[in-house]
Amino acid sequence: AMTEQGYLGNDPSLLEVMNGVRVQQTAQFFYEMARGERRITGRMAKLVDEFRAEFARILGTAEGMAGIAAMQRWVLNEDIRIWFSRHGKCFIGLGPTKARCHELGGTVHWANAEPNYVHRNPETCLGCPLYAVDADHAEFWLLRYIENTNFMAASATSRAARAAELRAKQSAAILQAIKVPLPELVTTHG
């Protein structure tokens, strides 16, 4: 968000490059969904899974770069972009008025083409019907699980420890849903 809004500003050539990258990443994602190479979780996962057959139809027999190019044409024709973050994927273009970040910000509008960055965070996104997580985000959720589990163990009675416990449980559930094993943590009390 900072890079796109603060540094890029309204420079059309830079914005075009960013959009081109987003189109390529979106096409790659849907290509992998069509081929059954990607497992996702989150409220958007069910809808994306329902479209696997449609994605496969779009690809036909095309594979590799030709398959990704076919999917990219579809992404451009349908004007669908995924917003990528370290913790998940936002499909705001499929239902801009349903975006939880815009609800919290009081900025709900049918023309919203991107998330409300002020309210975009893991807790908000996990409650959004336009959000999904997959293996691309395993590192974020694993680190979050470890940090919060360790914090809980070090401050077992504090209010913050209860919040950390909720975040650790949430992270564990996501990791299990995307088939990432939980690490065995060794905690010490200081």
Side-chain angles (χ1 to χ4, degrees), residues 30 33-34 47-60 71 74 78:
F30 287 128
M33 288 298 298
L47 180 64
V48 173
D49 279 341
E50 289 175 9
F51 279 90
R52 274 186 202 270
E54 176 67 12
F55 298 148
R57 186 197 61 73
I58 292 164
L59 286 180
M71 195 57 71
W74 178 80
E78 298 298 322

Side-chain angles (χ1 to χ4, degrees), residues 4 7 9 11-12 16 20 37 58 76 78 84 122 127 130 133 149 156 162 176 178 180 185 189:
E4 287 183 36
Y7 295 115
D11 184 330
E16 189 175 324
E37 297 172 359
I58 292 164
L76 288 168
E78 298 298 322
F84 298 85
L130 304 172
V133 176
T149 301
R162 287 191 296 278
Q176 290 169 344
I178 59 174
V180 174
L185 300 178
H189 296 282

